[in-house]
Amino acid sequence: MPQVKIIAKNFMDMVASLPAIKLDILYHNQFICEAILRSMPPLAKKYVLQMLYIDVPMTFKSLQEWVLADGSSKHQVAIDRLIQLRVLEVIDRKKETTYKLKPTFQTNLRKHLIYGGILSREPMPSNVVARLPTLEELDAYAHEQWECFLLQLISSGQAERSSSFSSSMMRIFQRGLLRQRDKEAPRLTESGFQFLLMDTNAQLWYIIREYISNSEEQGVDQADLIAFLLELSFHTTGEAYNLNTLADDQEAMIKDLADLGLVKLQQGRRERWFIPTKLATNLSVSLTDSSSRKQGFVVVETNFRMYAYSSSKLHCEILRLFSRVEYQLPNLIVGAITKESLYNAFENGITAEQIRLWETDLNRVEMTPAHFYDEFSSRDIFESASDFARVHGGLLWEDAKKMQMAVKAEIHMLMREHLRGNK
Amino acid sequence: MAPAPSKLYADDVSLVVVLLDTNPFFWSSSSLSFSQFLSHVLAFFNAILTLNQLNQVVVIATGYNSCDYIFDSSSDLNRSFENGRMPVMCSSLLQKLEEFLIKDEQFSKEEPDGRIKSSLLSGSLSMALCYIQRVFRSGALHPHPRILCLQGSPDGPEQYVAIMNAIFSAQHSLVPIDSCYIGAQNSAFLQQASYITGGVHHKPQNLDGLFQYLMTIFATDLHSRSFLNLPKPVGVDFRASCFCHKDTIDMGYICSVCLSIFCKHHKKCSTCGSVFGQAQSEVASASDKKRKTPET
C-alpha cells in the first residue's frame, strides 16, 4: 500500500512561499522573528545568532569552517532553510558567494534580544473583566472544543453540537482524510487514520494550514493571518484581551479559533474579550518537529483484549475503527481486537504498519482455485503437460517423482484439450 | 543516579545552570566592568530563552563567602513572560543579585594576608549539581542539563578536594561543565572540569566581544556540539593540590587506600586513617632523595 504521510509540520514552508515583499513586512514584527527563529533546525538557529552582530558579508568557506565534517549535510540543510525563509541573503560576487543576514530581520532580532519584545496588546485590567476561568478550566475548555471539532470532522453524526464552520469549510478539512463512496457514509482513509494518531499540536497545524490556504479565496490576506497566529502564540495564557484591539479580519478569524479551542470568548457588560488557551500559546512549540508526548493509557493484552482509560467519545470512535468495543464504563473502554474488526480496518485503507497483528495471518494462506492432475500414464505425457502448463503460466505445483501436478483452474479446459490431443 | 530519559524533547532543548562570579576582589581590578559584563550576559540569557520555548536558564551567584540562587526562568513568577521577557528578567535578576551581594559582604571576617582571593566555586558547583539532581528525580520531562561557569577569580587551592568531587559527580551524572574564564591568568580547575566532564573551556581574547563568544561557543546545545567546531582542550593543567597544605604540587605521595595526595611523608593518612608502614618510610627516605630532586 502506498505510504501517504500527512505533512503537518510544513507551516513554515507556507511562510517561506510568501512573496518577498510580504515576508519583509512580517519580519518587522519582533515576535514573528522569534517564532521563525524557533522553527528553524538547530544549526540554522545557531548561525543566525552567530551572525547577528556581524555586519560584513561572510563567505561560504568561512561558514563552512564552523562545522565539522560530520555535520556537513546538516550544515547544507540549515543554509538552505535560511535562504528559503529569506533570512539569509545571498550576495553573488565574481570570486565567490557571500552571505549576510537580512537587515530587517537582523535589526529586529537584535532589538528583541537586548530590549525584549512587548506585545502591542495589553491584557485587560481585572476590575473590568468578570471572573476569569482558572488555567485548569481553560485547559478543559480547550480540550473539549478541540475534541468536539475532531469528532465532527470524522463522523458528523456523532458531534453534540456543530461548530460555526460552514459545511464547505468542513469539507475542505475532510479532504484527504475522509472518502465518500456513493450512498455510503464517509469513511476514514489511511491518511485520515494517520491524522488521528498525530499529537494535538500537529493536528492543529494541519487544520490551520488548510484554513489559511483557503483564506485567499475568501479575500483575506494570507500574510496577515499568519502574522496574527504567530503573534497569538506569544500572548499570556489565561489573560483577557479586548476584542476591539483586533482588526476586522482578525475578529472574523477569532470566532473560528474559538471553535477549535485556541481561545475562549467572553463578554461583560460593555466589553467583549478573548482568552488564549494553552493550545494557542503552544503553537510555536510545534512549528518544528515535535515528538508526541502523549502518555499511554491503552493496554492491549496478549489475548487481544484491550482496555483504554479514557472517557472521550473521540477515542471511542478511533478505537471502533479497528477493534470491537464491548462496553464503556465512565472512565474505561473495554474492547477486543478481532479478525473481523481488523479486516474492516484494512478495507478502510488502514495499512499494516499501523496494525501488524493479523496482516501476516491474512497473507499467510493464499487461495487459488486449481485442479489436481494424477495418474499420468507415461513420463513423456507428464512432462509435456507440465511444460504446457508452465508456458501458459498456470503451473502451481508439481511433483516429478510421483507425476502429480496442480494447475490453475483458468487453464483447466486448455489442459484437457492438450491431454486429449496427446493421447 | 542515572539521568531520567530526556530524549522525548526535541534535540536542541537546553537547561543551562549558570554560575556567575560576583567576587568583588576580582571585579574591582578587572578591565571589563561588572555592569558591562552583566549587559553581555543578560542578552546571552535572553538569547538562550529565545532559541526554544522550552529552554531554561538558572543562575547561581558565586560570591566571595557564599553562593545563592538568583534567577530561575521556569519559576512561577517568570513562567508566562514571553511578552516583555527581557525587562522582567532584568529587573528580577538584578534585584536578587543586589540582595545577594549585600548579604555576601556581611559574611566577611578577618583573614590572614596572602590568601588567594578566590570565589566560592566549590559551593556554587555543589548547588548546581543539587538542583540538577532534583530535576532528574522529579520525574518530569526535562532537557539534558549542563553547567556554565562564568569565572574571573583565580583558583583557590583550598577548594581543590571539593571541586574535584563536584567534577567527578558531574561526570558520573553526565552533566557537562562549560567554562568561560575572563580573569588574567588561567584556571586549572575550570580546564580540568571541562576536560573531564566533556564540556568546553575557553578564555576569550577580547572581552569587549564577550557576547559573541558566548553566542558562538556557549549557546550551543548539547546535540549540536557533535557537528560544530568548538574549542578543543589544549594543554590542560592537571596539577593537584596536596591535602595537607593545599599547595599545588607536581609530585607527591599518595595513599594507596583512598588516593589522597600529600606533599611530605606522613605517618598516617589524614583522610582514611591508614597507617603508612615503617618499612615503607625507610625505603622511601632512601629514594626520597631521588624523588625530592626536582625534575625540571
Side-chain angles (χ1 to χ4, degrees):
Chain A
M1 261 172 213
Q3 272 288 30
V4 177
K5 255 247 158 210
I6 296 234
I7 314 161
K9 41 194 170 173
N10 268 346
F11 188 78
M12 293 323 289
D13 284 349
M14 186 191 281
V15 173
S17 66
L18 289 174
I21 317 162
K22 294 255 172 85
L23 212 52
D24 207 42
I25 300 174
L26 278 187
Y27 287 150
H28 280 294
N29 183 319
Q30 289 182 11
F31 288 99
I32 292 178
C33 292
E34 180 171 337
I36 288 191
L37 181 72
R38 284 181 174 175
S39 73
M40 297 177 190
L43 279 193
K45 289 185 201 181
K46 273 244 75 206
Y47 294 165
V48 167
L49 289 178
Q50 276 173 226
M51 293 176 74
L52 195 59
Y53 280 92
I54 297 180
D55 291 319
V56 293
M58 295 191 62
T59 62
F60 182 72
K61 238 197 302 175
S62 35
L63 282 182
Q64 251 189 338
E65 279 171 21
W66 286 344
V67 76
L68 297 170
D70 269 350
S72 50
S73 60
K74 286 195 198 264
H75 175 80
Q76 203 48 53
V77 166
I79 300 281
D80 288 342
R81 192 71 180 154
L82 288 172
I83 295 175
Q84 192 187 27
L85 287 170
R86 293 183 210 278
V87 164
L88 208 59
E89 287 180 338
V90 185
I91 306 164
D92 263 314
R93 295 254 163 77
K94 270 192 207 144
K95 274 198 188 160
E96 54 194 339
T97 38
T98 56
Y99 302 98
K100 203 164 117 59
L101 280 186
K102 186 189 198 57
T104 331
F105 187 86
Q106 192 175 21
T107 320
N108 282 302
L109 193 59
R110 280 187 199 178
K111 265 198 257 173
H112 193 69
L113 283 189
I114 307 295
Y115 302 110
I118 308 267
L119 277 176
S120 53
R121 202 170 285 121
E122 282 271 318
M124 294 169 68
S126 48
N127 55 350
V128 180
V129 299
R131 188 193 83 89
L132 288 175
T134 65
L135 286 178
E136 289 82 22
E137 286 171 1
L138 206 56
D139 268 351
Y141 164 81
H143 187 72
E144 193 194 313
Q145 288 290 94
W146 177 244
E147 279 225 348
C148 197
F149 171 77
L150 278 185
L151 209 54
Q152 196 190 3
L153 191 66
I154 61 173
S155 49
S156 329
Q158 286 281 341
E160 281 165 354
R161 57 171 181 279
S162 57
S163 62
S164 71
F165 285 113
S166 64
S167 56
S168 57
M169 198 63 230
M170 287 306 281
R171 266 201 293 280
I172 290 177
F173 290 144
Q174 288 168 336
R175 188 171 52 194
L177 299 178
L178 293 175
R179 177 185 52 215
Q180 178 147 36
R181 293 202 198 98
D182 296 327
K183 294 181 196 164
E184 270 183 19
R187 282 164 125 204
L188 215 57
T189 62
E190 183 195 328
S191 323
F193 192 64
Q194 275 193 8
F195 173 80
L196 286 177
L197 294 179
M198 294 189 311
D199 75 72
T200 310
N201 272 335
Q203 291 173 333
L204 194 55
W205 269 123
Y206 177 84
I207 297 292
I208 288 179
R209 185 177 67 115
E210 295 296 304
Y211 183 82
I212 291 184
S213 311
N214 192 51
S215 68
E216 288 285 334
E217 294 161 34
Q218 308 288 333
V220 182
D221 188 11
Q222 263 196 18
D224 286 342
L225 280 187
I226 291 173
F228 179 57
L229 275 170
L230 289 176
E231 235 195 59
L232 190 62
S233 67
F234 289 102
H235 286 51
T236 314
T237 318
E239 293 280 358
Y241 296 89
N242 203 321
L243 278 183
N244 62 15
T245 58
L246 296 174
D248 287 332
D249 52 359
Q250 291 173 340
E251 203 173 322
M253 200 186 178
I254 271 281
K255 296 205 175 52
D256 290 333
L257 294 182
D259 272 333
L260 294 173
L262 286 170
V263 300
K264 186 175 169 79
L265 293 174
Q266 276 188 336
Q267 57 190 57
R269 242 182 285 156
R270 261 170 284 170
E271 312 280 353
R272 296 180 303 152
W273 57 85
F274 69 92
I275 306 167
T277 67
K278 244 199 207 156
L279 283 184
T281 53
N282 276 344
L283 279 179
S284 58
V285 177
S286 66
L287 280 178
T288 52
D289 228 331
S290 75
S291 43
S292 176
R293 272 175 228 122
K294 280 218 185 86
Q295 300 279 29
F297 51 63
V298 182
V299 179
V300 180
E301 293 183 324
T302 50
N303 59 356
F304 302 115
R305 290 199 69 75
M306 188 190 61
Y307 306 91
Y309 287 88
S310 166
S311 47
S312 148
K313 255 195 175 164
L314 180 68
H315 289 148
C316 193
E317 279 307 304
I318 294 176
L319 291 171
R320 245 185 255 277
L321 290 173
F322 61 86
S323 66
R324 184 186 68 210
V325 173
E326 288 177 357
Y327 43 91
Q328 243 185 312
L329 298 173
N331 70 336
L332 179 66
I333 301 169
V334 181
I337 301 178
T338 65
K339 247 199 231 188
E340 291 78 22
S341 67
L342 279 178
Y343 289 171
N344 197 32
F346 291 139
E347 270 180 48
N348 279 339
I350 298 166
T351 67
E353 257 88 69
Q354 291 144 2
I355 311 166
R356 286 260 216 74
L357 296 161
W358 294 95
E359 164 91 312
T360 41
D361 183 50
L362 201 58
N363 290 336
R364 194 172 23 155
V365 177
E366 196 183 280
M367 292 218 299
T368 317
H371 284 252
F372 179 68
Y373 291 84
D374 198 5
E375 290 174 41
F376 284 89
S377 38
S378 80
R379 186 156 282 278
D380 285 331
I381 297 177
F382 170 74
E383 263 160 30
S384 96
S386 147
D387 289 335
F388 180 84
R390 201 173 285 124
V391 158
H392 284 78
L395 184 66
L396 291 170
W397 168 86
E398 65 168 352
D399 185 339
K401 248 198 217 164
K402 292 190 199 155
M403 290 204 292
Q404 295 167 340
M405 63 184 186
V407 168
K408 276 193 194 164
E410 290 123 34
I411 63 163
H412 172 64
M413 300 313 286
L414 289 170
M415 271 301 277
R416 270 221 326 225
E417 293 292 323
H418 171 83
L419 288 169
R420 278 210 199 102
N422 267 357
K423 277 201 180 116
Chain B
M1 178 152 192
S6 53
K7 236 341 186 154
L8 295 165
Y9 268 59
D11 286 333
D12 72 322
V13 186
S14 304
L15 161 55
V16 190
V17 183
V18 183
L19 309 182
L20 205 66
D21 188 355
T22 63
N23 184 358
F25 290 101
F26 165 69
W27 286 110
S28 56
S29 57
S30 162
S31 56
L32 181 74
S33 78
F34 191 57
S35 60
Q36 283 173 321
F37 170 70
L38 276 182
S39 63
H40 286 275
V41 164
L42 285 168
F44 167 67
F45 292 160
N46 198 19
I48 294 186
L49 294 171
T50 303
L51 280 174
N52 196 306
Q53 190 176 5
L54 302 166
N55 279 358
Q56 197 184 335
V57 172
V58 178
V59 185
I60 298 175
T62 314
Y64 183 67
N65 294 306
S66 61
C67 314
D68 203 2
Y69 296 98
I70 56 172
F71 181 74
D72 184 346
S73 69
S74 67
S75 72
D76 284 325
L77 294 164
N78 298 325
R79 201 188 297 272
S80 56
F81 73 159
E82 285 292 345
N83 180 15
R85 184 196 303 132
M86 192 58 167
V88 172
M89 174 170 73
C90 287
S91 67
S92 152
L93 198 155
L94 291 173
Q95 191 188 355
K96 275 272 176 83
L97 188 59
E98 195 177 325
E99 288 168 16
F100 169 76
L101 287 169
I102 295 171
K103 241 185 14 176
D104 191 45
E105 197 189 324
Q106 288 170 347
F107 284 121
S108 281
K109 48 186 194 280
E110 276 299 313
E111 269 171 8
D113 274 330
R115 189 206 135 175
I116 298 177
K117 308 285 188 210
S118 59
S119 60
L120 201 55
L121 181 62
S122 56
S124 55
L125 262 179
S126 308
M127 284 182 87
L129 288 167
C130 285
Y131 182 90
I132 289 174
Q133 279 300 320
R134 180 158 61 96
V135 170
F136 283 154
R137 288 166 207 230
S138 68
L141 286 178
H142 58 267
H144 201 84
R146 65 182 191 270
I147 296 176
L148 170 61
C149 294
L150 293 174
Q151 184 90 349
S153 306
D155 290 340
E158 73 281 359
Q159 297 181 53
Y160 174 74
V161 178
I163 289 183
M164 289 314 290
N165 284 338
I167 292 174
F168 291 127
S169 168
Q171 181 195 31
H172 183 71
S173 312
L174 303 174
V175 175
I177 300 178
D178 292 338
S179 46
C180 181
Y181 187 67
I182 53 177
Q185 297 99 6
N186 269 310
S187 165
F189 290 166
L190 291 180
Q191 285 177 340
Q192 284 195 55
S194 298
Y195 181 81
I196 291 172
T197 58
V200 178
H201 173 84
H202 194 66
K203 183 173 175 236
Q205 294 294 342
N206 188 345
L207 288 177
D208 284 335
L210 183 61
F211 177 74
Q212 189 68 12
Y213 288 100
L214 292 173
M215 282 327 309
T216 310
I217 304 171
F218 298 105
T220 319
D221 58 274
L222 295 177
H223 172 74
S224 303
R225 287 183 188 199
S226 35
F227 307 111
L228 287 172
N229 216 349
L230 293 172
K232 300 212 187 1
V234 169
V236 181
D237 184 352
F238 280 113
R239 280 180 307 169
S241 304
C242 68
F243 284 38
C244 36
H245 305 99
K246 315 295 182 193
D247 295 330
T248 316
I249 56 172
D250 287 313
M251 278 204 288
Y253 298 76
I254 298 192
C255 166
S256 48
V257 175
C258 66
L259 301 180
S260 305
I261 304 165
F262 303 100
C263 56
K264 281 201 311 245
H265 172 66
H266 291 246
K267 286 220 170 71
K268 197 170 82 147
C269 172
S270 55
T271 314
C272 67
S274 318
V275 174
F276 299 135
Q278 282 293 71
Q280 296 270 9
S281 71
E282 254 142 32
V283 172
S285 49
S287 44
D288 250 2
K289 298 204 178 81
K290 267 199 218 156
R291 257 188 257 154
K292 275 193 180 155
T293 317
E295 274 179 13
T296 29

